[in-house]
Amino acid sequence: QVQLVESGGGLVQAGGSLRLSCAASGRTFSSYGMGWFRQAPGKEREFVALISWNGASIYYADSVKGRFTISRDNAENTVYLQMNSLKPEDTAVYYCAATRTTGWAMRVYEYDYWGQGTQVTVSS
């Protein structure tokens, strides 16, 4: 069992930055791949980024590539999402999630545990 708690969301102007954190409980955090997803009002939850259990493999959605950076600290049971050059279209609730799926897990159903989400609002 893994419990996830996101933090770091807020209101920022376009071009600004935010750093999201996701704190995980449980001793097995380091065995899970971790992902970030987001969901805007009226839209489906979409993949943002993922990082493998050891940080060796990272993948981003095209919409955030070059602007967002995912990282993890297994000693602290935490995964991060650094978001730079934010745009109004990045506005959404951001969720972190844990997966036991190996390989490129980019679909919602591939994740076993989810956090409650944190709101990110980017004003123009």
Side-chain angles (χ1 to χ4, degrees):
Q1 188 82 5
V2 177
Q3 293 184 330
L4 304 171
V5 179
E6 301 96 335
S7 61
L11 173 63
V12 63
Q13 289 188 332
S17 298
L18 283 174
R19 188 192 196 201
L20 305 184
S21 299
C22 173
S25 65
R27 298 181 180 179
T28 59
F29 170 77
S30 61
S31 65
Y32 286 86
M34 297 297 297
W36 285 96
F37 287 73
R38 65 187 182 187
Q39 188 167 17
K43 295 188 176 182
E44 293 187 352
R45 194 168 298 189
E46 65 173 3
F47 168 79
V48 174
L50 67 86
I51 186 168
S52 61
W53 66 274
N54 61 356
S57 297
I58 289 175
Y59 190 78
Y60 298 98
D62 287 343
S63 58
V64 307
K65 201 172 295 182
R67 299 188 298 122
F68 290 11
T69 302
I70 189 171
S71 61
R72 68 188 296 162
D73 184 341
N74 285 344
E76 297 294 329
N77 279 12
T78 303
V79 62
Y80 303 97
L81 186 68
Q82 177 68 43
M83 305 186 296
N84 299 329
S85 303
L86 283 162
K87 305 175 182 180
E89 51 263 44
D90 294 319
T91 295
V93 177
Y94 282 71
Y95 299 88
C96 70
T99 179
R100 285 172 284 199
T101 300
T102 57
W104 304 121
M106 293 182 284
R107 296 175 176 80
V108 170
Y109 69 82
E110 293 178 296
Y111 285 77
D112 304 289
Y113 302 102
W114 292 83
Q116 82 290 347
T118 185
Q119 176 70 48
V120 171
T121 303
V122 184
S123 63
S124 57

mmCIF file of all heavy atoms in Angstrom, residues 85-104:
data_model
loop_
_atom_site.group_PDB
_atom_site.id
_atom_site.type_symbol
_atom_site.label_atom_id
_atom_site.label_comp_id
_atom_site.label_asym_id
_atom_site.label_seq_id
_atom_site.Cartn_x
_atom_site.Cartn_y
_atom_site.Cartn_z
ATOM 1 N N SER A 85 8.419 28.104 -17.240
ATOM 2 C CA SER A 85 7.774 28.696 -18.423
ATOM 3 C C SER A 85 6.308 28.291 -18.513
ATOM 4 O O SER A 85 5.826 27.879 -19.570
ATOM 5 C CB SER A 85 8.520 28.281 -19.699
ATOM 6 O OG SER A 85 9.876 28.650 -19.630
ATOM 7 N N LEU A 86 5.619 28.431 -17.419
ATOM 8 C CA LEU A 86 4.228 27.985 -17.362
ATOM 9 C C LEU A 86 3.340 28.797 -18.284
ATOM 10 O O LEU A 86 3.546 30.004 -18.480
ATOM 11 C CB LEU A 86 3.725 28.046 -15.927
ATOM 12 C CG LEU A 86 4.215 26.890 -15.044
ATOM 13 C CD1 LEU A 86 4.067 27.234 -13.562
ATOM 14 C CD2 LEU A 86 3.452 25.616 -15.375
ATOM 15 N N LYS A 87 2.347 28.103 -18.828
ATOM 16 C CA LYS A 87 1.390 28.707 -19.748
ATOM 17 C C LYS A 87 -0.017 28.566 -19.172
ATOM 18 O O LYS A 87 -0.279 27.642 -18.386
ATOM 19 C CB LYS A 87 1.454 27.981 -21.098
ATOM 20 C CG LYS A 87 2.832 27.935 -21.720
ATOM 21 C CD LYS A 87 2.813 27.085 -22.992
ATOM 22 C CE LYS A 87 4.191 26.989 -23.619
ATOM 23 N NZ LYS A 87 4.175 26.165 -24.849
ATOM 24 N N PRO A 88 -0.935 29.420 -19.592
ATOM 25 C CA PRO A 88 -2.323 29.286 -19.106
ATOM 26 C C PRO A 88 -2.905 27.886 -19.374
ATOM 27 O O PRO A 88 -3.693 27.385 -18.561
ATOM 28 C CB PRO A 88 -3.069 30.364 -19.890
ATOM 29 C CG PRO A 88 -2.042 31.419 -20.135
ATOM 30 C CD PRO A 88 -0.763 30.656 -20.368
ATOM 31 N N GLU A 89 -2.504 27.263 -20.450
ATOM 32 C CA GLU A 89 -3.024 25.925 -20.761
ATOM 33 C C GLU A 89 -2.471 24.839 -19.844
ATOM 34 O O GLU A 89 -2.894 23.684 -19.915
ATOM 35 C CB GLU A 89 -2.755 25.562 -22.229
ATOM 36 C CG GLU A 89 -1.316 25.741 -22.668
ATOM 37 C CD GLU A 89 -1.098 27.070 -23.376
ATOM 38 O OE1 GLU A 89 -1.613 28.112 -22.885
ATOM 39 O OE2 GLU A 89 -0.384 27.074 -24.411
ATOM 40 N N ASP A 90 -1.524 25.187 -18.982
ATOM 41 C CA ASP A 90 -1.044 24.246 -17.968
ATOM 42 C C ASP A 90 -1.964 24.218 -16.741
ATOM 43 O O ASP A 90 -1.757 23.388 -15.846
ATOM 44 C CB ASP A 90 0.374 24.608 -17.518
ATOM 45 C CG ASP A 90 1.414 24.452 -18.620
ATOM 46 O OD1 ASP A 90 1.333 23.460 -19.365
ATOM 47 O OD2 ASP A 90 2.282 25.336 -18.731
ATOM 48 N N THR A 91 -2.940 25.097 -16.701
ATOM 49 C CA THR A 91 -3.860 25.139 -15.583
ATOM 50 C C THR A 91 -4.628 23.829 -15.465
ATOM 51 O O THR A 91 -5.248 23.376 -16.427
ATOM 52 C CB THR A 91 -4.849 26.311 -15.743
ATOM 53 O OG1 THR A 91 -4.123 27.540 -15.673
ATOM 54 C CG2 THR A 91 -5.912 26.285 -14.657
ATOM 55 N N ALA A 92 -4.564 23.217 -14.297
ATOM 56 C CA ALA A 92 -5.201 21.918 -14.071
ATOM 57 C C ALA A 92 -4.969 21.497 -12.630
ATOM 58 O O ALA A 92 -4.183 22.113 -11.903
ATOM 59 C CB ALA A 92 -4.623 20.858 -15.009
ATOM 60 N N VAL A 93 -5.644 20.436 -12.237
ATOM 61 C CA VAL A 93 -5.293 19.739 -11.010
ATOM 62 C C VAL A 93 -4.226 18.709 -11.376
ATOM 63 O O VAL A 93 -4.407 17.930 -12.311
ATOM 64 C CB VAL A 93 -6.511 19.046 -10.374
ATOM 65 C CG1 VAL A 93 -6.089 18.263 -9.126
ATOM 66 C CG2 VAL A 93 -7.580 20.071 -10.017
ATOM 67 N N TYR A 94 -3.135 18.736 -10.639
ATOM 68 C CA TYR A 94 -2.016 17.836 -10.907
ATOM 69 C C TYR A 94 -2.010 16.708 -9.887
ATOM 70 O O TYR A 94 -2.103 16.951 -8.676
ATOM 71 C CB TYR A 94 -0.702 18.605 -10.865
ATOM 72 C CG TYR A 94 -0.461 19.407 -12.120
ATOM 73 C CD1 TYR A 94 -1.216 20.546 -12.392
ATOM 74 C CD2 TYR A 94 0.495 19.023 -13.057
ATOM 75 C CE1 TYR A 94 -1.027 21.273 -13.556
ATOM 76 C CE2 TYR A 94 0.700 19.744 -14.220
ATOM 77 C CZ TYR A 94 -0.065 20.867 -14.459
ATOM 78 O OH TYR A 94 0.128 21.590 -15.619
ATOM 79 N N TYR A 95 -1.873 15.482 -10.392
ATOM 80 C CA TYR A 95 -1.882 14.287 -9.566
ATOM 81 C C TYR A 95 -0.565 13.527 -9.725
ATOM 82 O O TYR A 95 -0.063 13.401 -10.848
ATOM 83 C CB TYR A 95 -3.008 13.350 -9.984
ATOM 84 C CG TYR A 95 -4.391 13.913 -9.869
ATOM 85 C CD1 TYR A 95 -4.970 14.622 -10.920
ATOM 86 C CD2 TYR A 95 -5.140 13.730 -8.711
ATOM 87 C CE1 TYR A 95 -6.251 15.138 -10.829
ATOM 88 C CE2 TYR A 95 -6.429 14.240 -8.604
ATOM 89 C CZ TYR A 95 -6.971 14.938 -9.671
ATOM 90 O OH TYR A 95 -8.237 15.447 -9.563
ATOM 91 N N CYS A 96 -0.060 13.001 -8.632
ATOM 92 C CA CYS A 96 1.018 12.038 -8.746
ATOM 93 C C CYS A 96 0.434 10.640 -8.559
ATOM 94 O O CYS A 96 -0.627 10.474 -7.931
ATOM 95 C CB CYS A 96 2.153 12.295 -7.758
ATOM 96 S SG CYS A 96 1.765 11.972 -6.036
ATOM 97 N N ALA A 97 1.109 9.672 -9.115
ATOM 98 C CA ALA A 97 0.606 8.303 -9.084
ATOM 99 C C ALA A 97 1.774 7.327 -9.097
ATOM 100 O O ALA A 97 2.853 7.649 -9.600
ATOM 101 C CB ALA A 97 -0.306 8.057 -10.286
ATOM 102 N N ALA A 98 1.518 6.152 -8.553
ATOM 103 C CA ALA A 98 2.539 5.104 -8.464
ATOM 104 C C ALA A 98 2.109 3.889 -9.275
ATOM 105 O O ALA A 98 0.941 3.498 -9.238
ATOM 106 C CB ALA A 98 2.764 4.713 -7.004
ATOM 107 N N THR A 99 3.082 3.307 -9.961
ATOM 108 C CA THR A 99 2.780 2.156 -10.801
ATOM 109 C C THR A 99 3.791 1.043 -10.593
ATOM 110 O O THR A 99 4.984 1.302 -10.396
ATOM 111 C CB THR A 99 2.760 2.543 -12.284
ATOM 112 O OG1 THR A 99 2.492 1.376 -13.079
ATOM 113 C CG2 THR A 99 4.092 3.126 -12.749
ATOM 114 N N ARG A 100 3.308 -0.198 -10.669
ATOM 115 C CA ARG A 100 4.205 -1.357 -10.652
ATOM 116 C C ARG A 100 4.485 -1.835 -12.069
ATOM 117 O O ARG A 100 5.245 -2.771 -12.266
ATOM 118 C CB ARG A 100 3.581 -2.479 -9.817
ATOM 119 C CG ARG A 100 3.669 -2.219 -8.325
ATOM 120 C CD ARG A 100 2.879 -3.226 -7.527
ATOM 121 N NE ARG A 100 1.444 -2.951 -7.599
ATOM 122 C CZ ARG A 100 0.558 -3.413 -6.734
ATOM 123 N NH1 ARG A 100 0.953 -4.159 -5.740
ATOM 124 N NH2 ARG A 100 -0.719 -3.132 -6.851
ATOM 125 N N THR A 101 3.888 -1.148 -13.040
ATOM 126 C CA THR A 101 4.112 -1.503 -14.432
ATOM 127 C C THR A 101 5.522 -1.122 -14.840
ATOM 128 O O THR A 101 5.975 -0.008 -14.571
ATOM 129 C CB THR A 101 3.118 -0.759 -15.341
ATOM 130 O OG1 THR A 101 1.796 -1.128 -14.981
ATOM 131 C CG2 THR A 101 3.360 -1.096 -16.800
ATOM 132 N N THR A 102 6.205 -2.044 -15.479
ATOM 133 C CA THR A 102 7.525 -1.722 -16.008
ATOM 134 C C THR A 102 7.346 -1.156 -17.414
ATOM 135 O O THR A 102 6.367 -1.421 -18.093
ATOM 136 C CB THR A 102 8.424 -2.959 -16.047
ATOM 137 O OG1 THR A 102 7.767 -3.969 -16.829
ATOM 138 C CG2 THR A 102 8.657 -3.498 -14.649
ATOM 139 N N GLY A 103 8.284 -0.386 -17.825
ATOM 140 C CA GLY A 103 8.166 0.221 -19.142
ATOM 141 C C GLY A 103 7.451 1.562 -19.095
ATOM 142 O O GLY A 103 7.299 2.167 -18.047
ATOM 143 N N TRP A 104 6.959 2.005 -20.219
ATOM 144 C CA TRP A 104 6.361 3.329 -20.341
ATOM 145 C C TRP A 104 4.886 3.302 -19.959
ATOM 146 O O TRP A 104 4.038 3.022 -20.782
ATOM 147 C CB TRP A 104 6.528 3.855 -21.762
ATOM 148 C CG TRP A 104 7.932 3.902 -22.236
ATOM 149 C CD1 TRP A 104 8.443 3.262 -23.314
ATOM 150 C CD2 TRP A 104 9.027 4.630 -21.652
ATOM 151 N NE1 TRP A 104 9.776 3.544 -23.442
ATOM 152 C CE2 TRP A 104 10.161 4.379 -22.438
ATOM 153 C CE3 TRP A 104 9.151 5.456 -20.532
ATOM 154 C CZ2 TRP A 104 11.414 4.930 -22.158
ATOM 155 C CZ3 TRP A 104 10.393 6.005 -20.245
ATOM 156 C CH2 TRP A 104 11.503 5.744 -21.052
#
